[in-house]
Amino acid sequence: MVYGAMADVRDEYVIDNTRERIADAAGEIFAERGFDGTTVREICQRAAANVAAVNYYFGDKQRLYIEAVVRAHQWRMEKAQLPEWPAGTPAETKLADFIKTFIHRVRMGPEITWHTRLMMREMAHPSAACAELVQSSIRPQFEILLQILRELLADVSDEDLRLTAFSIVGQCLFYHFADPVIRNLLTGEEYSALDIEKLAKHITNFSLCSIGQADAATRAGATR
């Protein structure tokens, strides 16, 4: 019985390991060549797996691509997680934390991993993976932002609340997508000074002031 149990554990590890190898190899190649430029055979060669393993573990190439995109996003999420706020945490503090975490996720350093390249490909040319990613990962984060803003803006419409959230997200994403332009607009010293702390503080204060929460902006600045 003991030997049988050990064999079951070993087999389960092999299955999980093969699935992981395929998913990682797929992410790397999809990031390099896109969905259409990638073949299942290439993925399996890099993963040292049988070609039939893709259908066994994922169903088809499309589902494997979706899995790779979702994994790429989750990898970035895990690198910078939101803190657990105790009861009574001021909304402006939550907003500052949310913005800082968001910027951490989109500006994680000079190294460009396959996770980043794949996400950029998917955002530039959305596929079915985008819809699944929004439902599984992005929407829950967006709902957190909406809840924070609702604490600050109790009387605005849902539409205005969403537009405010989009504006905040847009500010954070600007420093990722416009990075090559920013680098050329600024001197090396000026660019280096734009660290995550400074950007997060600026976006938080700018956002709070723009929605008529100047006092909250002052409090948020005092707690950072």
Side-chain angles (χ1 to χ4, degrees), residues 4-73:
M6 292 177 61
D8 289 342
V9 171
R10 184 173 60 252
D11 291 345
E12 183 177 347
Y13 171 78
V14 171
I15 289 173
D16 290 343
N17 182 258
T18 301
R19 195 179 195 282
E20 290 291 321
R21 293 202 318 272
I22 293 172
D24 286 341
E28 293 171 0
I29 301 177
F30 284 138
E32 294 169 9
R33 306 176 191 174
F35 181 82
D36 292 334
T38 300
T39 68
V40 170
R41 185 171 297 279
E42 289 175 308
I43 293 170
C44 291
Q45 285 178 344
R46 185 172 297 191
N50 189 288
V51 174
V54 168
N55 286 340
Y56 179 78
Y57 292 113
F58 302 96
D60 55 25
K61 177 184 169 185
Q62 175 80 15
R63 290 303 310 174
L64 175 55
Y65 176 77
I66 292 173
E67 173 86 6
V69 171
V70 170
R71 279 170 173 260
H73 188 262

Side-chain angles (χ1 to χ4, degrees), residues 96-113:
D97 288 339
F98 185 95
I99 289 171
K100 182 178 177 180
T101 301
F102 196 109
I103 297 174
H104 264 292
R105 289 170 178 169
V106 299
R107 297 187 90 224
M108 294 180 64
E111 74 284 353
I112 304 297
T113 66

Side-chain angles (χ1 to χ4, degrees), residues 173-192:
L173 290 175
F174 171 80
Y175 291 98
H176 172 64
F177 288 104
D179 186 72
V181 175
I182 295 171
R183 284 177 180 270
N184 284 283
L185 284 173
L186 303 178
T187 65
E189 184 177 353
E190 290 170 336
Y191 179 83
S192 297

